[in-house]
Amino acid sequence: MIWWHAVLIAAAGIWAGMINTVVGSGTLVTFPVLVALGYPPLTATTSNAIGLAPGTISGAVGYRHELRGQFRRMLTFVPASLVGAGCGTVLLLSLPPDAFETVVPALVGLAVVLVIIQPRVSTWVLRRRETSGKEQGTGSQVLLITLIFLIGVYGGYFTAAQGVMLMAVMGMLLSEPIQRLNGIKNVLAAVVNVVAGTVYAFIAPVSWPAIALLASGSIVGGWLGARIGRKLSPVALRAVIVVVGVAAMVQMILRQV
């Protein structure tokens, strides 16, 4: 590996770890970097899942204070993410690589759209809380667990923007402070990444040098994101994610032409 490739991958890991903790969408930084450096899309995705998993754990630990009193709730949410992640990895490894390369631009596009509309969703959620002021009934709880499972499937298949999705659905169906929801999001994203990464480590094509660089960078990024990430401009973070995501989508489309 060329030295500047290593520096670029490690830097992308730090940035992705921070973004994943604060917003969620770090894959839209690391995935296009790996693809641009010549890694096949499937290898870039599997290596991402493994390499960014330590960063999601680091971010979740950083939000441990916001997670106090959430143990019983997590007992219902974590299994949904875990099973969903397992289903997503099965899909990724069962479908032909060509199918993955075909659908990736659409998935990246979906992730970019979610990042763009996230502020509007957050505003809508805050207004809803002001009018309702309480969580919904059992039906909403079942709906939320189902959506967490489906997001886990998506995360096991392609991790980008699963954090944004989780924040959106939990914000609509739970009446909790945004920082507590962010802590729950970090735990669920960590579960998905760890499950997917464990499976990929044994039976999928991966690049261990890239994984080592991403892992070391994402741990630092997750730690930073939990401590100082909230002080960064959300607009700046979102702009970087959107620009990198669009670039990745265009690059993937051009690869298929």
Side-chain angles (χ1 to χ4, degrees), residues 18-213:
M18 183 179 294
I19 290 175
N20 275 338
T21 303
V22 179
V23 182
S25 293
T27 296
L28 288 182
V29 175
T30 50
F31 177 79
V33 166
L34 293 179
V35 171
L37 295 179
Y39 293 89
L42 183 58
T43 301
T45 295
T46 55
S47 300
N48 256 322
I50 302 172
L52 296 185
T56 57
I57 296 172
S58 175
V61 171
Y63 270 81
R64 61 190 179 278
H65 298 297
E66 285 81 2
L67 290 168
R68 288 175 179 170
Q70 299 301 302
F71 181 75
R72 292 185 62 184
R73 176 174 281 163
M74 299 308 294
L75 284 179
T76 61
F77 291 174
V78 167
S81 287
L82 192 151
V83 176
C87 294
T89 58
V90 170
L91 282 176
L92 181 64
L93 298 174
S94 300
L95 296 175
D98 289 346
F100 177 77
E101 293 193 26
T102 300
V103 75
V104 159
L107 294 177
V108 173
L110 172 63
V112 169
V113 170
L114 287 171
V115 172
I116 292 172
I117 68 173
Q118 190 265 339
R120 293 183 178 273
V121 173
S122 297
T123 300
W124 183 88
V125 168
L126 289 174
R127 288 176 180 172
R128 171 192 167 276
R129 288 180 183 172
E130 290 175 357
T131 57
S132 65
K134 60 181 180 180
E135 295 181 18
Q136 304 303 306
T138 303
S140 293
Q141 182 76 357
V142 172
L143 174 61
L144 177 57
I145 293 173
T146 302
L147 291 173
I148 289 173
F149 164 76
L150 293 175
I151 293 169
V153 175
Y154 169 86
Y157 187 81
F158 187 66
T159 57
Q162 64 170 321
V164 176
M165 294 180 181
L166 286 168
M167 288 296 287
V169 300
M170 290 192 299
M172 288 184 285
L173 297 172
L174 292 176
S175 295
E176 294 286 356
I178 195 71
Q179 291 297 343
R180 177 167 291 167
L181 293 181
N182 207 25
I184 296 173
K185 176 265 291 182
N186 286 332
V187 172
L188 298 182
V191 169
V192 172
N193 278 18
V194 168
V195 171
T198 301
V199 174
Y200 297 153
F202 288 99
I203 59 177
V206 299
S207 170
W208 288 109
I211 289 171
L213 291 166

Side-chain angles (χ1 to χ4, degrees), residues 250-257:
V250 171
Q251 184 179 27
M252 292 298 300
I253 293 173
L254 291 177
R255 283 170 62 96
Q256 299 176 21
V257 175

